[in-house]
Amino acid sequence: MGALTPTDAVIDEKAVAAQAEQALEDIARIRAETGKVIFGQESVIEQTVLAVLSGGHALLVGVPGLAKTKLVSTLATVLGLATNRIQFTPDLMPSDILGSEVMDQDEHGRRSFRFVKGPVFSELLMADEINRASPRTQSALLQAMQEYHVTITGQRYDLPHPFHVLATQNPLEQEGTYPLPEAQLDRFLLEIDVEYPDFEAERRILLETTGTSEAQVEGVITPARLLEIQGLIRRMPVPESVVEAILKLVRSARPGHGDAFTDSRIAWGPGPRAGQALMLTARARALYQGRFAPSIDDVAALAGPVLQHRMALTFAARADGVSMKDVIAKLVEPLKP
């Protein structure tokens, strides 16, 4: 196929602009519908939707009772995704997630094995309190989250498309929890901190969730439409200045490159997957906010959710009371005008 002529390029730009306008309308409806039942968590809603619009997975971290599970179930309905929920517990087994083979016997007495699919075979998997399962069980999601299929007794089984994992985690250290390994964390596009609601939001929660009825949400888009928006986001242009900002930020977070601040604070830093995550989510954030191209401000805003689970502090930094948020804020400073 030959190169596009100037006329073809103009037509293509107009087509993309029209698709973007329609996507803006769909995203506005998603925000409005989700806001009917989730109060005072605008940034959490935004980042969770961004993860899905970017085609990735998200880990929601917060103390109990902050509507993390409610948000995930609400988004499943609003986005029209078939969903399954897994309550992770210490005794959960990999087969409880992936499925298992059972033996069947026909009317002639012949026996054969049949694979019974587990809850991972859904368009949106809600992994509730994912850090309560053992590392053996957590690892059952590694292949699914990265390669979008699972292998059982040498046989490949493809997952539905789209496929997203939205997991919740309680940050309080307590008995019966297992920290997620680095490989598992890296598969989450974003780690989203769920904070306490502000005063007015909590007032609204009290008034609207303790009566005889609660607001119900409806589906706004379909899985096919979600895939179209995800494709559109990948086609959005990224200015060279934004690409350079992403590269500088990610590379500055890696120790061993002669930066005294990084070397003294960071034990190990993010890999290229962090840059990929910033490229996708910066585009998605621009569209979410009504713009057709990302800016450096988008990179700065998403630095925390993208980087904080892909880095580790040194012992000296922890001993000094330095937090990961402090370190990332320092790394982001050069991006600001």
Side-chain angles (χ1 to χ4, degrees), residues 34-48:
T34 305
K36 289 181 179 179
V37 295
I38 306 296
F39 312 127
Q41 298 285 9
E42 286 79 8
S43 64
V44 175
I45 295 173
E46 175 181 314
Q47 292 172 20
T48 308

Side-chain angles (χ1 to χ4, degrees), residues 41-322:
Q41 298 285 9
E42 286 79 8
S43 64
V44 175
I45 295 173
E46 175 181 314
Q47 292 172 20
T48 308
V49 173
L50 293 185
V52 177
L53 294 181
S54 302
H57 317 290
L59 177 64
L60 285 79
V61 180
V63 300
L66 296 183
K68 299 185 297 296
T69 303
K70 179 79 169 178
L71 172 59
V72 176
S73 61
T74 298
L75 282 178
T77 301
V78 171
L79 299 175
L81 300 176
T83 182
N84 283 324
R85 177 180 181 272
I86 302 175
Q87 177 62 57
F88 280 69
T89 58
D91 61 347
L92 196 72
M93 299 295 289
S95 59
D96 296 325
I97 298 173
L98 303 178
S100 59
E101 288 194 321
V102 298
M103 181 177 288
D104 285 340
Q105 181 172 309
D106 62 19
E107 64 274 13
H108 303 293
R110 290 191 292 266
R111 297 177 179 177
S112 61
F113 285 101
R114 174 172 57 88
F115 177 61
V116 179
K117 293 181 178 180
V120 73
F121 289 88
S122 61
E123 293 168 335
L124 190 150
L125 179 66
M126 184 193 307
D128 219 358
E129 296 186 297
I130 190 172
N131 59 327
R132 288 193 175 277
S134 67
R136 176 187 180 186
T137 301
Q138 291 174 9
S139 65
L141 285 174
L142 290 176
Q143 185 181 28
M145 293 175 67
Q146 180 62 28
E147 301 173 32
Y148 298 94
H149 66 261
V150 298
T151 304
I152 307 294
T153 62
Q155 179 68 40
R156 167 175 168 160
Y157 296 92
D158 290 327
L159 295 170
H161 194 52
F163 172 72
H164 302 279
V165 175
L166 296 183
T168 68
Q169 178 176 309
N170 184 344
L172 302 177
E173 294 184 5
Q174 51 188 299
E175 189 175 351
T177 60
Y178 303 84
L180 271 65
E182 290 77 12
Q184 179 81 66
L185 287 170
D186 197 33
R187 280 161 169 75
F188 286 104
L189 194 71
L190 300 178
E191 181 183 294
I192 302 167
D193 291 328
V194 185
E195 307 289 350
Y196 291 109
D198 60 31
F199 184 86
E200 289 302 322
E202 192 157 4
R203 176 193 292 275
R204 188 179 175 192
I205 291 170
L206 291 177
L207 294 176
E208 299 198 23
T209 62
T210 58
T212 57
S213 63
E214 292 187 32
Q216 301 295 319
V217 297
E218 298 178 353
V220 169
I221 63 174
T222 64
R225 178 57 182 153
L226 175 60
L227 289 174
E228 290 177 359
I229 297 175
Q230 290 174 353
L232 173 65
I233 286 172
R234 287 180 173 269
R235 293 163 61 193
M236 290 175 63
V238 181
E240 185 63 28
S241 60
V242 174
V243 176
E244 290 296 320
I246 291 172
L247 284 170
K248 289 179 181 178
L249 175 61
V250 172
R251 296 180 67 83
S252 70
R254 299 171 184 162
H257 289 79
D259 187 290
F261 173 80
T262 300
D263 291 346
S264 65
R265 295 290 188 266
I266 303 174
W268 51 268
R273 193 177 285 164
Q276 295 171 327
L278 279 170
M279 282 283 284
L280 284 172
T281 54
R283 287 166 164 156
R285 186 174 187 267
L287 190 63
Y288 189 89
Q289 297 190 351
R291 293 176 279 115
F292 297 151
S295 68
I296 294 177
D297 288 340
D298 296 314
V299 178
L302 292 164
V306 168
L307 296 179
Q308 62 188 355
H309 59 298
R310 293 183 166 96
M311 302 162 58
L313 297 174
T314 62
F315 175 79
R318 295 197 304 271
D320 291 340
V322 176

Side-chain angles (χ1 to χ4, degrees), residues 17-29:
Q19 293 172 19
E21 290 287 353
Q22 181 59 53
L24 290 177
E25 295 180 10
D26 291 335
I27 291 171
R29 293 163 59 206

